[in-house]
């Protein structure tokens, strides 16, 4: 079995971010910052550290700030140089010309549709998908751990994370087969199972390595839950046709699509910082009594 390397990553970033209104009325939700870095930058850095060479952003109307963030800001850099300030905080954000590609999802038809919008750029290669709302913290990072597993088993490898059984109804859940350490064979995928019916407590936390055949399935534009084109439904059709595994993340997950999760991420990452951690810790202690 020849295992092609994963060189491309798709970032579905066309969502409207209605849960964070009014903050996201004029600013993409992916530009919300955890401490001093936008969510999209955490996801891009995760991809690059995992060996990804081409970044594919599936955007929508009003997402120009994302393109600007990864572009050269001549005026800012010239001003900082003139004032003798270090450019270290922004230099590594730049992407090589041609590396980032931006495609439009013109209608909000679901995650499967957003991924399908990148089909021409993905071509016949395996590719990663990263949902920037899901902030993953670990060493090595989540996608790097998944790429390591993929290089052993090939096929499709999706992220997996153990959650309390009471929470499984909120997520897509893996129906497990044989287990080998962090790898779990996937025998089926269940989207938001009713309470008490989940086949496991392994949810899918927004990280995927998929074979290009999933695009052919998405071509049919079949709708599922919520009347949307669901990526989970398309992936389920690959099970049995290609190797399909879940990989359990060794690290921490913060659901930054949720206000409480977003605040938790800011607090957790701030406490880890040498420059601001001590002050934040003292404030938290005083505030919490």
């Amino acid at each position: 079995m020849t295992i092609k390397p994963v060189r491309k990553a798709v970032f579905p970033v066309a969502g409207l971010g209605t849960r964070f209104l009014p903050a996201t009325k004029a600013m993409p939700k992916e530009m919300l910052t955890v401490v001093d870095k936008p969510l999209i930058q955490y996801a891009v850095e995760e991809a690059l550290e995992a060996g990804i060479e081409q970044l594919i952003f599936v955007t929508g109307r009003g997402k120009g700030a994302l393109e600007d963030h990864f572009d050269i800001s001549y005026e800012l850099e010239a001003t900082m140089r003139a004032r003798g300030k270090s450019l270290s905080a922004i230099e590594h954000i730049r992407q090589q010309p041609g590396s980032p590609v931006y495609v439009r999802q013109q209608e909000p038809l679901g995650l499967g549709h957003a991924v399908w919008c990148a089909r021409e750029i993905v071509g016949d290669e395996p590719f990663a998908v990263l949902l920037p709302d899901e902030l993953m913290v670990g060493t090595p990072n989540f996608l790097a751990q998944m790429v390591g597993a993929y290089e052993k088993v090939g096929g499709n490898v999706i992220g997996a994370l153990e959650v309390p059984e009471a929470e499984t109804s909120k997520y897509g859940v893996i129906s497990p087969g044989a287990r080998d350490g962090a790898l779990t064979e996937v025998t089926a995928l269940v989207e938001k199972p009713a309470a008490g019916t989940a086949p496991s407590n392994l949810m899918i936390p927004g990280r995927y390595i998929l074979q290009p055949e999933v695009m052919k399935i998405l071509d049919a534009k079949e709708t599922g839950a919520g009347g949307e084109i669901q990526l989970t439904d398309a992936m389920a059709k690959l099970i049995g046709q290609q190797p399909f595994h879940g990989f359990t993340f060794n690290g921490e997950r913060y659901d930054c699509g949720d206000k409480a999760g977003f605040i938790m991420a800011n607090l957790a990452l701030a406490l880890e910082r040498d420059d601001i951690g001590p002050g934040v810790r003292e404030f938290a202690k005083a505030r919490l009594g």
Side-chain angles (χ1 to χ4, degrees):
M1 178 178 63
T2 302
I3 299 175
K4 290 185 177 181
V6 182
R7 302 188 311 112
K8 301 180 179 183
V10 176
F11 300 85
V13 291
L16 297 174
T18 53
R19 282 188 284 179
F20 277 85
L21 286 169
T24 50
K25 182 173 181 289
M27 178 179 71
K29 65 175 181 175
E30 297 82 11
M31 290 299 294
L32 292 171
T33 56
V34 174
V35 186
D36 55 5
K37 191 186 296 184
L39 283 168
I40 188 62
Q41 188 174 331
Y42 285 100
V44 164
E45 289 179 358
E46 180 181 341
L48 294 175
E49 289 168 16
I52 296 298
E53 298 171 15
Q54 186 170 50
L55 312 173
I56 306 166
F57 298 92
V58 181
T59 69
R61 188 178 299 276
K63 298 282 184 168
L66 292 168
E67 297 187 36
D68 291 343
H69 184 68
F70 293 105
D71 199 357
I72 294 172
S73 177
Y74 176 79
E75 298 86 349
L76 174 63
E77 294 184 16
T79 301
M80 291 177 73
R81 285 193 190 94
R83 294 178 180 175
K85 293 186 176 181
S86 170
L87 299 181
S88 60
I90 58 172
E91 280 183 323
H92 70 290
I93 299 173
R94 298 177 183 172
Q95 297 300 305
Q96 293 296 322
S99 170
V101 179
Y102 301 91
V103 298
R104 278 285 184 106
Q105 182 187 24
Q106 295 177 323
E107 296 179 84
L109 299 178
L111 177 58
H113 180 259
V115 170
W116 176 81
C117 288
R119 66 199 180 283
E120 297 294 339
I121 304 153
V122 165
D124 62 353
E125 295 188 41
F127 62 101
V129 179
L130 297 92
L131 305 188
D133 285 359
E134 301 274 3
L135 177 55
M136 307 295 182
V137 181
T139 306
N141 71 50
F142 195 1
L143 189 61
Q145 292 179 33
M146 289 174 61
V147 167
Y150 164 80
E151 289 172 346
K152 296 176 183 175
V153 297
N156 304 273
V157 178
I158 61 175
L161 202 66
E162 293 185 356
V163 295
E165 288 187 16
E167 295 183 14
T168 52
S169 60
K170 301 177 185 176
Y171 305 110
V173 175
I174 290 170
S175 184
R179 299 197 181 200
D180 180 10
L183 275 171
T184 302
E185 182 185 6
V186 177
T187 61
L189 296 170
V190 183
E191 187 66 35
K192 296 180 180 177
T197 67
S200 76
N201 68 334
L202 289 174
M203 58 83 80
I204 308 167
R207 295 294 184 275
Y208 314 82
I209 295 174
L210 302 173
Q211 294 299 315
E213 285 78 12
V214 75
M215 294 296 193
K216 296 173 184 175
I217 296 170
L218 290 168
D219 270 335
K221 299 186 178 64
E222 292 181 9
T223 56
E228 295 185 334
I229 299 169
Q230 298 289 350
L231 182 61
T232 302
D233 294 342
M235 292 191 302
K237 293 183 178 180
L238 292 176
I239 297 170
Q241 299 181 32
Q242 298 176 340
F244 210 117
H245 294 85
F247 182 86
T248 305
F249 179 41
N250 180 20
E252 295 182 320
R253 167 202 179 234
Y254 300 97
D255 179 4
C256 291
D258 170 78
K259 291 176 186 177
F262 179 69
I263 298 299
M264 291 174 196
N266 271 278
L267 180 59
L269 270 64
L271 289 171
E272 296 296 317
R273 292 271 293 257
D274 293 334
D275 55 346
I276 60 174
V280 173
R281 183 171 284 102
E282 290 305 312
F283 171 80
K285 285 179 181 176
R287 194 76 174 184
L288 296 172

